[in-house]
């Protein structure tokens, strides 16, 4: 989903000490809304992962695993918000300069 790709992007940028300038219509901490979705919507959204893991979606509670419940996304997005907040600090930008100097 788009939120997972966004989380992955921020993780990658943060891990490589990349400086980013971006703007948006909404605040970044409001981007991920944990709305309750139906079992059918979760099934459709996670079809490829379910197939890869060999999980039988017809089994009662099979989609209640953390990977499908949204709990992992909430944790990951909390981490993303924290990283985006840190990436705005002068200290983070100084770390980038040090990181680039040490790479050479």
């Amino acid at each position: 989903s788009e939120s997972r790709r966004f989380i992955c992007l921020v993780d990658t940028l943060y891990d490589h000490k990349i400086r980013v300038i971006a703007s948006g219509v909404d605040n970044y901490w409001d981007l991920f809304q944990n709305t309750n979705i139906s079992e059918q919507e979760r099934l459709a959204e996670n079809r490829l992962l379910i197939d890869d893991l060999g999980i039988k979606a017809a089994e009662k509670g099979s989609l209640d695993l953390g990977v499908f419940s949204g709990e992992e996304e909430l944790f990951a997005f909390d981490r993303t918000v924290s990283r985006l907040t840190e990436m705005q600090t002068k200290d983070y930008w100084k770390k980038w300069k040090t990181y680039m100097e040490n790479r050479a």
Side-chain angles (χ1 to χ4, degrees):
S1 75
E2 293 85 3
S3 59
R4 288 181 185 158
R5 288 192 297 269
F6 180 70
I7 289 167
C8 184
L9 171 67
V10 172
D11 284 345
T12 301
L13 295 170
Y14 181 86
D15 290 343
H16 289 92
K17 308 290 186 266
I18 303 298
R19 297 189 292 184
V20 178
I21 298 174
S23 65
V25 175
D26 290 319
N27 296 317
Y28 60 88
W29 53 85
D30 291 332
L31 292 176
F32 187 77
Q33 300 297 319
N34 185 25
T35 57
N36 291 326
I37 62 173
S38 71
E39 185 103 352
Q40 202 59 21
E41 289 171 310
R42 273 199 289 167
L43 178 62
E45 187 177 288
N46 293 296
R47 172 60 37 206
L48 289 175
L49 184 57
I50 290 167
D51 291 344
D52 288 346
L53 295 174
I55 295 172
K56 293 184 179 19
E59 294 176 5
K60 181 106 174 109
S62 62
L63 297 180
D64 292 336
L65 299 170
V67 70
F68 303 117
S69 68
E71 291 172 24
E72 287 190 10
E73 282 89 354
L74 285 174
F75 172 79
F77 201 76
D78 284 346
R79 183 186 65 236
T80 300
V81 168
S82 174
R83 287 182 170 188
L84 286 170
T85 301
E86 181 182 343
M87 290 167 78
Q88 295 180 53
T89 65
K90 289 180 182 180
D91 189 47
Y92 179 85
W93 284 60
K94 288 178 189 175
K95 286 180 188 177
W96 175 83
K97 183 178 179 186
T98 303
Y99 176 76
M100 293 306 290
E101 289 171 352
N102 291 335
R103 274 184 71 189

